Amino acid sequence: MVLLRVRAFYNKKRCLNMVFLKIRIPKKESKEDKEADRESLGGNADFKESIGVMKQFFESLSSLAAGKWSARIKGQDFLSFEYVLKDSRIDFYVVLPNYLKKVVEKLITTYYPDTYIEETEDYNIFQEDSAVSHCFMHTTKPYSYPIKTYMRMSSDPLNGITNALSKLEVHEGAVIQIMLKPEPNGWQKEGREIAKNLMENKDSESLLASFNPLKWISDLLSMIFRGSSESSLPDQSAGRTTPLLDEQIKAIEEKNTQTGFDTIIRLVASSDRKDKADSILASMKTSFAQYATTDNNSLGTRDKYIGDIIPHFLMRDMYIPRRFKKMILTPEELASLFHLPNIKYNKAPNINWQNYKIAPPPHNLPKEGLLLGHNVYRGVSTPVYMKNEDRFRHFYVIGQTGTGKSSILQVMIRQDFKNGKGVCVMDPHGQLIEDLLPFIPKERADDVIYFNPGDLERPMGLNLLEAETPEERDMIALDAMNIMIKLFDEEIFGPRIQDYFRNGCLTLMEAEGGGALTDIVRLFTDDDFQKEKTKNIQNPIVKSFWENQMAKTGAREKQEMIPYFASKFGQFVTNGLMRNIIGQTKSAFDISDCMNTGKILLVNLSKGETGDINSKLLGMIIVSKLQVAALRRQRMAKEDRRDFFMYIDEFQNYVTDSIEVILSEARKYRLSLNMAHQYLAQLETSGGRRSSGVNLKDAVFGNVGSIMCYKIGAQDAEYMAKEMAPIFSDQDLINTDKYKAVMKLSIDTQPSKPFSIIPVNPYLESGNPAIADALVQLSRLKYGKDKAFVEREIFRRLGALI
């Protein structure tokens, strides 16, 4: 009794510590994959050889059998192999105790190298108020007699099972659960006796009759009254068999020379109505008819007097009613009942295939650095790190909406926060920054600059027209012109207006007291303001522009130019939100100082609050100022250049032709650019090919060192497959699951071979919401200005005193 309680305790412990492994097989349909599959199976492979791989797997599982004394005390370990139909898809599960996970994973990947194994939560096939039907399947004869196996079938038995699980509605579910545990050797003896007796023309009934006292009396009377002539003669038929009997004996002997597993088979079906659940269950029962033989064994239904098996089904225990006899099946029989599909032989449309390739990591993967995620291949999880130096080759992410682009950026940024790095984050939606704020360490509170245009009460100034040297003025003026071209298009913002605008920017930057973009219109429309700003101009070209070209411009031409300038820049002057930001002559923060002192600059460019065109303008100003700040580092010693990391989501909206300069030269100035967007056409329509001949897509792919690709569309996959060749095809990139990706990592400045990656999930960790609010308030008080004060200064400069 004590021993039974101890064993029950360990069995319950196993049940409560089960893990669920979902197994998916690659859907190999390309010519190359089929050739490789054929070669691996010997060239003339058929479904029997394919299933034979599963037989070898079950044979290997027998090694999990516990020792004699351990089995008596703790019991044998047990596993569950399950076909699960849920949401009209068939999945293949292995459910096992947690401590066996690594062993079984390695066994699976040994026999199925391309298999994708994912640990998941327990599935649920039941809906609210579901009707349930269930039963046991059990051998109709003693277990020593074999059922029909795949070796004696003309087609893959899995097709019969998947057909029974087809055409179910989304709210319906079904499970075939095959529980098993290794059976110690010794059970084969009974089967060998049966085979021997059949060979001698004896069956089990005659054996039992020989020990019957009534039979002895009958034989004695027969000898007295009939004589002993018949009984004393030898049996002439002994040892004579028929071909069919030979086949039966052979099958029994084959079974009883293999290892065995104590097996329980449960069928469970659910639907919204009981009659539908019964119909699904009946269909599953029918699929087991293919394992029946006329001479040996078959699988029949045991659905009477079994009670409610659902609790045992959910617990994955080895419970079976007492009236049931043990059922022992061999690896060959189990492989016939459960094996993984092969696209060549199993065409069921509802099988949940692995639709993309899983590739191993490169051998020289870094052991430290920034953690990006994990590569899971053949049951082995390998962390993927990126070295600090390789980050300055830049990082590019592409993927459809909702696939995980912002998540990988968040993972990287959080680590930079903890490591004390200088960071700039540009977020076009605002959600990324909201998620990041709670994770900023409190000791870095003074480093945080939160630029939020939506904060109307304390606007932060952002003046594009700030320069320290004549060379910077030229570069900023050119960049300002490129910004306007991107906002309004080159056909609208044509060569003539470009010339006026460029000279206007150079004038305001050199003028006493400086100027802002909002002053451009007044510079060309207010003669007094123009004289004041141009009186101390030193640049001879700009001076000539005002003294010769503009002085000789007729009144009519000036009148035409005024509404043109007003139509382009008036929207920024009349819009209070933008006017109070770009209208300030001194920026609230110095990006050069941010880079050199390791500040955290968070730029919330939420289009919902600022508007699309305003978001783009502010973002491009930030990028331009960051480029200027990076190039200023040329005057610094190399060892004094502090690492700075810039993250831009939907970066195509915020970059101009100058992106090529940043990508190609910013590395030496310790600026790392991390970019993410959705599809390649954005680079062609947003960046485009300007008169300068710069193509944004070419600039990106010609310079970035690390590329991460989430699920993308067919057109993008055609291009990206060339970057990920020869490991991944366009179909792999199209069919990648969300939150999973493939990447090519820069390792010691050299691109690695492409490999699979599961990026770190940032939402598994929670931050501190209280610190987020405190950081926002501290930043706005430190860097923002009172709205009334800002407006008075801007209106005075615009000549509109109130």
Side-chain angles (χ1 to χ4, degrees):
M1 182 63 72
V2 175
L3 188 62
L4 289 176
R5 288 184 177 179
V6 171
R7 194 180 302 169
F9 168 79
Y10 280 106
N11 284 338
K12 185 176 181 181
K13 187 177 180 181
R14 289 185 182 95
C15 293
L16 295 176
N17 288 279
M18 288 287 196
V19 294
F20 293 76
L21 302 181
K22 182 191 287 188
I23 304 174
R24 285 191 286 177
I25 295 289
K27 190 175 184 180
K28 297 182 178 180
E29 295 187 289
S30 69
K31 183 178 179 181
E32 294 80 4
D33 286 334
K34 288 180 179 178
E35 288 293 333
D37 229 14
R38 195 176 296 114
E39 290 178 9
S40 66
L41 290 173
N44 296 315
D46 61 12
F47 78 92
K48 294 179 182 178
E49 293 183 56
S50 177
I51 301 175
V53 176
M54 198 72 192
K55 176 188 173 184
Q56 290 179 284
F57 166 77
F58 282 119
E59 288 173 340
S60 299
L61 271 189
S62 62
S63 64
L64 299 179
K68 181 178 179 181
W69 291 105
S70 178
R72 283 189 176 185
I73 298 172
K74 297 183 178 180
Q76 293 282 4
D77 289 318
F78 46 82
L79 303 86
S80 179
F81 293 82
E82 303 175 5
Y83 297 111
V84 179
L85 181 86
K86 185 177 183 293
D87 299 327
S88 300
R89 306 292 290 173
I90 298 175
D91 282 305
F92 300 76
Y93 279 84
V94 178
V95 186
L96 69 167
N98 187 45
Y99 52 83
L100 292 179
K101 176 187 169 187
K102 290 186 178 180
V103 176
V104 175
E105 274 186 340
K106 287 182 179 179
L107 280 177
I108 295 172
T109 54
T110 296
Y111 296 105
Y112 295 91
D114 296 330
T115 299
Y116 179 64
I117 303 174
E118 181 182 15
E119 184 177 345
T120 65
E121 298 293 325
D122 191 359
Y123 58 82
N124 180 17
I125 64 166
F126 307 109
Q127 304 286 338
E128 188 175 353
D129 299 326
S130 285
V132 181
S133 292
H134 51 75
C135 70
F136 283 103
M137 297 300 293
H138 205 275
T139 50
T140 54
K141 289 184 179 181
Y143 59 73
S144 295
Y145 291 90
I147 62 173
K148 189 177 182 180
T149 67
Y150 68 91
M151 292 301 295
R152 291 172 171 80
M153 294 183 182
S154 57
S155 63
D156 191 336
L158 180 60
N159 291 325
I161 293 174
T162 55
N163 185 60
L165 297 175
S166 64
K167 298 182 180 179
L168 270 67
E169 298 181 21
V170 175
H171 64 275
E172 296 176 328
V175 176
I176 298 175
Q177 184 184 80
I178 303 171
M179 297 284 306
L180 55 89
K181 65 179 179 180
E183 181 71 15
N185 286 328
W187 65 271
Q188 299 94 336
K189 183 177 179 181
E190 182 180 334
R192 290 170 186 158
E193 286 294 325
I194 292 173
K196 180 182 177 182
N197 292 326
L198 286 172
M199 181 67 73
E200 296 174 354
N201 273 342
K202 299 177 183 178
D203 57 22
S204 57
E205 292 181 4
S206 63
L207 281 171
L208 290 173
S210 65
F211 295 100
N212 191 342
L214 295 176
K215 180 70 166 55
W216 296 345
I217 296 172
S218 175
D219 289 344
L220 179 61
L221 291 173
S222 178
M223 289 175 64
I224 293 172
F225 294 103
R226 296 185 183 180
S228 59
S229 57
E230 292 183 11
S231 60
S232 62
L233 293 173
D235 186 359
Q236 299 295 323
S237 63
R240 301 166 83 180
T241 61
T242 65
L244 289 177
L245 187 59
D246 286 342
E247 285 295 319
Q248 181 186 14
I249 294 169
K250 181 181 177 182
I252 294 173
E253 287 180 334
E254 284 179 356
K255 171 166 184 172
N256 291 278
T257 56
Q258 300 181 51
T259 56
F261 292 86
D262 186 3
T263 308
I264 298 174
I265 303 176
R266 300 184 181 107
L267 309 185
V268 179
S270 72
S271 185
D272 56 340
R273 297 205 320 258
K274 188 67 169 68
D275 60 329
K276 287 185 176 181
D278 291 341
S279 176
I280 296 169
L281 186 68
S283 180
M284 287 195 288
K285 292 178 186 178
T286 304
S287 68
F288 284 85
Q290 63 185 320
Y291 301 105
T293 63
T294 55
D295 51 357
N296 278 320
N297 220 331
S298 61
L299 289 169
T301 305
R302 294 293 180 93
D303 48 9
K304 292 184 179 180
Y305 313 113
I306 62 173
D308 185 7
I309 70 172
I310 298 300
H312 306 289
F313 157 74
L314 295 173
M315 285 293 289
R316 273 80 182 180
D317 59 27
M318 290 295 291
Y319 164 80
I320 192 168
R322 290 182 180 180
R323 67 184 70 241
F324 282 28
K325 294 182 180 179
K326 183 179 288 190
M327 178 170 65
I328 297 178
L329 299 180
T330 62
E332 185 175 308
E333 291 172 312
L334 289 171
S336 305
L337 292 168
F338 185 96
H339 59 268
L340 300 178
N342 186 313
I343 188 62
K344 185 177 179 180
Y345 311 112
N346 309 118
K347 303 291 185 180
N350 54 343
I351 291 177
N352 192 10
W353 297 97
Q354 174 67 25
N355 291 319
Y356 58 95
K357 189 179 297 179
I358 305 296
H363 65 89
N364 59 337
L365 202 63
K367 304 298 182 184
E368 59 182 6
L370 197 74
L371 179 63
L372 302 177
H374 294 80
N375 173 274
V376 180
Y377 183 73
R378 297 193 179 184
V380 178
S381 178
T382 307
V384 178
Y385 293 100
M386 182 164 55
K387 291 182 179 180
N388 191 64
E389 285 303 309
D390 289 313
R391 298 185 66 185
F392 296 98
R393 288 293 312 277
H394 311 301
F395 188 78
Y396 169 81
V397 185
I398 184 172
Q400 294 178 342
T401 301
T403 54
K405 300 186 304 298
S406 296
S407 295
I408 187 61
L409 294 184
Q410 189 174 160
V411 167
M412 298 168 70
I413 295 166
R414 285 187 194 175
Q415 292 179 72
D416 285 337
F417 288 165
K418 292 178 182 178
N419 295 333
K421 301 291 187 181
V423 176
C424 173
V425 182
M426 294 178 57
D427 180 13
H429 308 294
Q431 187 59 52
L432 175 60
I433 288 177
E434 293 298 322
D435 291 340
L436 286 170
L437 280 167
F439 292 91
I440 297 176
K442 60 182 180 181
E443 60 268 18
R444 299 201 65 187
D446 289 335
D447 293 340
V448 177
I449 304 172
Y450 181 43
F451 178 71
N452 181 17
D455 186 357
L456 302 180
E457 297 305 315
R458 292 193 68 81
M460 293 185 189
L462 186 65
N463 184 15
L464 174 62
L465 305 181
E466 290 179 315
E468 295 180 356
T469 64
E471 291 76 19
E472 282 187 9
R473 292 183 197 127
D474 290 334
M475 184 173 64
I476 291 172
L478 181 62
D479 215 25
M481 187 180 68
N482 285 331
I483 289 173
M484 295 303 141
I485 290 173
K486 182 157 185 172
L487 286 176
F488 302 114
D489 195 75
E490 195 167 19
E491 292 184 2
I492 298 175
F493 205 82
R496 187 177 178 188
I497 196 72
Q498 288 178 31
D499 185 47
Y500 290 146
F501 178 75
R502 183 174 59 252
N503 282 283
C505 289
L506 290 169
T507 301
L508 291 173
M509 282 189 282
E510 194 175 351
E512 184 178 349
L517 284 175
T518 51
D519 298 329
I520 290 287
V521 176
R522 189 182 181 194
L523 184 65
F524 286 93
T525 58
D526 187 327
D527 291 338
D528 292 334
F529 185 77
Q530 184 183 110
K531 288 178 182 178
E532 180 185 347
K533 292 295 182 183
T534 58
K535 63 182 179 181
N536 295 320
I537 294 295
Q538 301 298 317
N539 189 321
I541 303 299
V542 178
K543 192 173 185 178
S544 174
F545 169 80
W546 292 109
E547 291 179 353
N548 298 316
Q549 185 175 339
M550 285 303 298
K552 296 177 182 179
T553 300
R556 181 178 177 181
E557 186 174 350
K558 288 183 179 179
Q559 289 176 353
E560 291 176 354
M561 186 171 49
I562 290 171
Y564 198 90
F565 264 106
S567 66
K568 299 296 173 291
F569 300 100
Q571 59 184 307
F572 303 127
V573 177
T574 56
N575 184 322
L577 181 149
M578 290 297 290
R579 180 182 63 239
N580 291 344
I581 295 173
I582 65 172
Q584 297 186 45
T585 55
K586 184 172 178 57
S587 297
F589 49 88
D590 182 357
I591 292 188
S592 289
D593 180 68
C594 292
M595 294 180 68
N596 297 333
T597 59
K599 292 284 195 298
I600 297 174
L601 176 59
L602 305 175
V603 184
N604 185 346
L605 298 175
S606 174
K607 296 177 183 178
E609 293 188 12
T610 63
D612 187 44
I613 192 169
N614 295 336
S615 173
K616 288 182 179 179
L617 175 59
L618 294 173
M620 285 188 283
I621 291 175
I622 293 283
V623 173
S624 175
K625 294 179 77 66
L626 197 85
Q627 178 191 358
V628 172
L631 295 178
R632 281 178 185 168
R633 290 186 160 193
Q634 189 170 8
R635 304 193 290 265
M636 297 174 61
K638 287 185 179 180
E639 58 273 14
D640 294 334
R641 298 170 187 171
R642 189 167 177 174
D643 296 350
F644 194 79
F645 301 94
M646 184 172 190
Y647 296 86
I648 314 179
D649 197 4
E650 291 193 21
F651 80 101
Q652 77 283 349
N653 291 325
Y654 308 118
V655 296
T656 61
D657 289 352
S658 61
I659 187 67
E660 186 178 38
V661 177
I662 297 177
L663 288 169
S664 60
E665 297 187 19
R667 177 177 59 86
K668 68 185 84 167
Y669 303 125
R670 308 302 290 176
L671 171 63
S672 168
L673 193 59
N674 304 273
M675 309 163 287
H677 74 125
Q678 296 167 350
Y679 55 92
L680 293 174
Q682 293 173 322
L683 305 186
E684 297 167 354
T685 57
S686 295
R689 187 178 293 279
R690 306 295 183 194
S691 57
S692 61
V694 175
N695 183 280
L696 185 53
K697 185 166 76 172
D698 293 342
V700 169
F701 287 98
N703 288 283
V704 293
S706 297
I707 300 175
M708 181 176 285
C709 180
Y710 287 87
K711 180 184 177 69
I712 54 177
Q715 291 184 338
D716 293 341
E718 186 176 349
Y719 183 91
M720 292 302 298
K722 298 175 183 177
E723 292 287 337
M724 299 299 173
I727 308 298
F728 298 102
S729 68
D730 54 348
Q731 290 302 310
D732 293 322
L733 304 181
I734 292 170
N735 294 312
T736 301
D737 284 349
K738 65 178 180 178
Y739 311 133
K740 296 180 177 62
V742 301
M743 77 174 300
K744 189 162 61 175
L745 180 66
S746 176
I747 304 175
D748 297 326
T749 72
Q750 295 298 316
S752 72
K753 69 173 186 178
F755 60 94
S756 306
I757 182 172
I758 302 177
V760 174
N761 183 357
Y763 300 105
L764 296 177
E765 184 182 357
S766 58
N768 183 359
I771 197 172
D773 294 334
L775 292 173
V776 171
Q777 294 303 320
L778 179 63
S779 174
R780 67 191 298 267
L781 292 173
K782 190 174 180 179
Y783 297 98
K785 291 183 179 180
D786 184 71
K787 177 182 177 182
F789 175 81
V790 171
E791 286 185 338
R792 279 198 302 271
E793 193 276 331
I794 292 175
F795 287 146
R796 179 192 61 76
R797 216 174 60 253
L798 291 175
L801 289 173
I802 55 175

